[in-house]
């Protein structure tokens, strides 16, 4: 960040103003007449006022961008594992849902909480112990590029701890629901001290395309009875 | 935006501070003693510090305002077509819902997705082709002043396109559900490159009051199979 | 807010930058060489550029904090009366639900709208007149520290008024559902001109622990027919 020449700044201002939808009236004066060279005090005042504009524009731009990202599912990335688009949990293996679910189909329904945007406290899929898995059938075939895991922040937990949050987990790609030869897409760690939504990217170069993704949680942050998954997002490129 | 006289600025500061709930201690010195006239360096410093305050206040005010607007249904306008207040879709004419809906009543249920706040991807009313209509009965009689159409942003679409978004559409006012003499309230175009929520205002002077509003989509942005409406809001003044 | 010494400022900058996740390259020069003492113009420029950084950092920090609070249930406080965590309305006394609810169990279901995060217009518990009560069983025993009442803002009301908002209300703690000796935890007034979510704190020192909380609305802001409660939150410390 350096003090810019007034001409450069006016251009920048115009660009910023356009993006931030703030009207800046750019007077049609020759830059020379406004930039007297040696009269540094005048020049400084000009800089000062200009910076004021830049600040206001930058600020509104920043606020708008922050809100846009927030409204775009907090990640700005397409989630292919969204239940409302047709994604569903087709298998939870040996995972024992924490709480009652009978008949077995109801357990899948419970697990599908991880495919829904509502992450109010309690709206999670809870399973016994610290190991659990969910096989998710996406509505379309994609080349995965990353995954997001969401949990409530510590400040929203009654105990001040989120020891039931997942810690180490791995994600696999499957060719069909009964595929025994799963492909490991990545091993990741959800940080209990990080932001609520954490995105983990993979190198998509060497990755095949998949319609079935398996999430395997391998540990949690210390809770002896159960683990909670609030939301799991799958990001990627649509296979054409 | 010009450099203000310190006295004017102190007043502005106080006003801003009040609105932004930031405490500014305004010292009880005579403005003259703080404004030595020719000692411009001192004066400049005063301006500088004052502007710092103004910035902080303006900024917090801006953030608060942006979040308020966001929390106020993203428009700051009352939506009279909100399902939770009693609005419902009473007719969809010849529109063929894209996907299955049997019996016919179920189709209206599908169409009512446009009256609900949840606009997660997939939570839309999809109909075949690019022409469709929905007749909405509001819970109260209003003098319409505008309409908002919402779609997901391009960044949230797997294809990067939103060709299934509505393009040209018109809105009509009806006196009763079987009214053959509808009144055109306006013809509008949803811009696929614009913001997700787009509000279209009409001149309310010449507008009668209505309890039934019809949305007629006339084209989409190029999708050959179907069109999706995520949300349709009706704004106006309550008829007393 | 005073003009800081460059060394102090650099430290502050580094701290701010860390918290706002903005990279600031701090050059490894001796502060003396950058602070020539009497060459005030140079010094001023340094201050100016530094403040620019501070502004940007402060601003992004402010935006991030505002959005964090917004995403943390708008209060930053744990809500123990959240339906998704197991809280439920077990009694509404003589309160007559405004609208039909038959059988009686359905009325409790209506009342449980106050324990849910969705506060779209209409998603409230409406009861006849201006007096009503709801006894809420929390999923855990807590030492209450405060309560939040939420209503829609005036700008979201068709009439521009929120005369159906609660005004005076009191909150009681009960030892068991049939407890006749309730303990008054506090008397509060919801301000119709305030923010939509208003939190009322109590002095938790003298407060016992409770699992059952009763909300008693004693008046509204003038509506002759009914009162609406959008959401009621219970805050406190978990009893270990």
């Amino acid at each position: 960040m350096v003090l810019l020449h007034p001409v450069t700044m006016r251009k920048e201002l115009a660009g910023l103003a356009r993006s931030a939808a703030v009207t800046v009236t750019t007077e049609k004066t020759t830059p020379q007449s406004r930039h007297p060279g040696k009269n540094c005090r005048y020049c400084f005042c000009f800089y000062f006022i200009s910076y004021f504009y830049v600040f206001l524009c930058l600020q509104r731009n920043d606020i708008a961008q922050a809100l846009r990202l927030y409204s775009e599912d907090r990640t700005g990335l397409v989630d292919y594992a969204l239940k409302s688009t047709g994604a569903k949990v087709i298998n939870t293996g040996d995972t024992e849902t924490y709480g009652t679910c009978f008949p077995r189909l109801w357990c899948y329904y419970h697990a599908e909480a991880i495919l829904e945007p509502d992450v109010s406290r309690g709206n999670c899929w809870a399973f016994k112990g610290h190991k659990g898995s969910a096989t998710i059938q996406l509505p379309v075939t994609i080349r995965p590029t990353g995954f997001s895991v969401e949990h409530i922040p510590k400040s929203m937990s009654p105990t001040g701890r989120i020891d039931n949050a997942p810690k180490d987990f791995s994600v696999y790609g499957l060719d069909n629901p009964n595929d025994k030869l799963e492909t490991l897409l990545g091993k990741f760690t959800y940080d209990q001290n990080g932001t609520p939504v954490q995105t983990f990217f993979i190198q998509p170069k060497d990755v095949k395309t998949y319609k079935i993704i398996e999430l395997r949680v391998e540990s949690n942050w210390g809770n002896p009875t159960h683990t909670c998954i609030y939301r799991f997002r799958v990001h990627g490129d649509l296979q054409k």
Side-chain angles (χ1 to χ4, degrees), chain A residues 170-191:
Chain A
S170 46
V171 182
Y172 296 83
L174 282 77
D175 287 327
N176 63 67
N178 303 313
D179 190 4
K180 296 291 175 204
L181 293 163
E182 310 170 320
T183 311
L184 179 68
L185 298 176
K187 283 181 172 293
F188 314 101
T189 303
Y190 182 86
D191 179 7

Side-chain angles (χ1 to χ4, degrees), chain A residues 88-93 108 133-138 141 172-183 210-214 216:
Chain A
K88 54 188 173 188
V89 171
I90 52 170
N91 198 358
T92 54
Y108 296 160
S133 75
T135 309
I136 300 155
Q137 185 181 299
L138 312 179
T141 301
Y172 296 83
L174 282 77
D175 287 327
N176 63 67
N178 303 313
D179 190 4
K180 296 291 175 204
L181 293 163
E182 310 170 320
T183 311
Y210 297 98
K211 207 185 168 176
I212 297 168
I213 297 288
E214 186 181 340
R216 266 195 230 162

Side-chain angles (χ1 to χ4, degrees), chain A residues 32 38 51 72 76 95 110 121 164 180 230:
Chain A
Q32 283 72 26
K38 292 190 176 174
Y51 268 121
E72 288 177 6
T95 320
H110 273 257
R121 191 161 64 85
N164 62 357
K180 296 291 175 204
Y230 274 83

Side-chain angles (χ1 to χ4, degrees), chain A residues 8-18 24 50 53-54 57:
Chain A
T8 324
M9 178 171 303
R10 200 173 293 151
K11 279 186 197 156
E12 240 188 35
L13 266 171
L16 273 167
R18 240 178 281 120
V24 175
S50 301
Y53 275 132
V54 175
C57 296

Side-chain angles (χ1 to χ4, degrees), chain A residues 96-138:
Chain A
E96 273 190 82
T97 295
Y98 186 69
T100 50
C101 60
F102 180 84
R104 194 167 176 73
L105 199 71
W106 195 243
C107 291
Y108 296 160
Y109 177 79
H110 273 257
E112 284 186 355
I114 66 173
L115 310 181
E116 291 175 322
D118 185 353
V119 290
S120 307
R121 191 161 64 85
N123 277 343
C124 64
W125 174 45
F127 55 80
K128 280 183 193 160
H130 59 273
K131 278 176 187 286
S133 75
T135 309
I136 300 155
Q137 185 181 299
L138 312 179

